[in-house]
Each structure stands twice: as structure tokens, then as C-alpha cells.
Amino acid sequence: MQMATPMAEALNRYLDLSTLELKATAQNMANVDTPGYQTTGFDFAAEMSRSLDSLNQQGGSGAGSAPAPQLGRVGGLLERPDGNNVSMDREGLQLAKAQMQFKLGTQLLKGQFSSVMSAIHMDSK
């Protein structure tokens, strides 16, 4: 028996994307000294929109899987002589943003589950 609401499913996908953004940022930071490494990332808003569109096409059931995010090279960054273009300043900002997104998502999901629990226990009051 599945108890997920459409909002809970959307928040689940939001958390998945936030986690992926944290992983991509950590990978970039870990490769700051790797010659030739190119920064990778994705457009969070665009990927969330694609994920929500996919969810709406499924009728909010969450039965299908979310589309895989389009990770790719981040353009417009200064490249060092060794070919690496990782900017620790950019990655630090990305990390902070992804952490705030994840915290927001967990708080919203917690609120969703609290609402469901309140509805379940309403009959016992």
C-alpha cells in the first residue's frame, strides 16, 4: 500500500536532485588539483521542471522513474594552464545552495507527513 501524495512524490524528486547536486559539487571539489578535469553540473531548476512534468504525465502516481538529470560540463569558467577549470569559490557557493535546498526539502516533506499523520489520528480524538 502506497501512502505517497503527489506533493510528497514531488518533494522526493526535489531531494533526489539536491542530493545529486551535492554529489556533483563534492566530485568537482575532490578534483580541484586533477589536471584536465572539467567542472560538471546541471541546471537544478530545469531538471526539477522536467521531473515535475514527468510526474504530471504519470498522473501523480510516481509509478514511473524520474528522468535522469542531464549532467554536463559547466561552461564559462576560467581554465588554468593545466586544463582544470574548478573554482573553489563557485563550488563553495554551490555546496551551500544545495545544502539549503536539501534542508528545505526535508522540512517540507516533514510537514507533509505531519499532515498525513494528523489526518490518520483525527478519528481517535
Side-chain angles (χ1 to χ4, degrees), residues 56-123:
N56 289 336
Q57 289 173 357
Q58 297 167 12
S61 68
S65 61
Q70 303 296 316
L71 277 171
R73 289 186 178 168
V74 176
L77 300 176
L78 294 177
E79 194 171 291
R80 297 191 305 259
D82 67 358
N84 187 307
N85 72 350
V86 175
S87 165
M88 289 304 283
D89 290 338
R90 178 194 179 276
E91 297 310 315
L93 288 172
Q94 286 294 108
L95 184 62
K97 182 182 110 183
Q99 287 172 331
M100 288 190 319
Q101 288 171 333
F102 191 84
K103 186 172 182 173
L104 173 64
T106 57
Q107 291 297 317
L108 291 171
L109 194 57
K110 182 179 176 182
Q112 280 292 305
F113 286 130
S114 292
S115 297
V116 170
M117 292 303 292
S118 293
I120 290 170
H121 294 295
M122 188 184 301
D123 287 340

Side-chain angles (χ1 to χ4, degrees), residues 1 3 8 10 16 24 38-39 42 46 51 62 68 76 97 113-114 119 125:
M1 178 175 158
M3 301 219 13
D16 287 344
Q38 297 290 299
T39 303
F42 63 95
S51 186
K97 182 182 110 183
F113 286 130
S114 292
K125 292 181 180 181

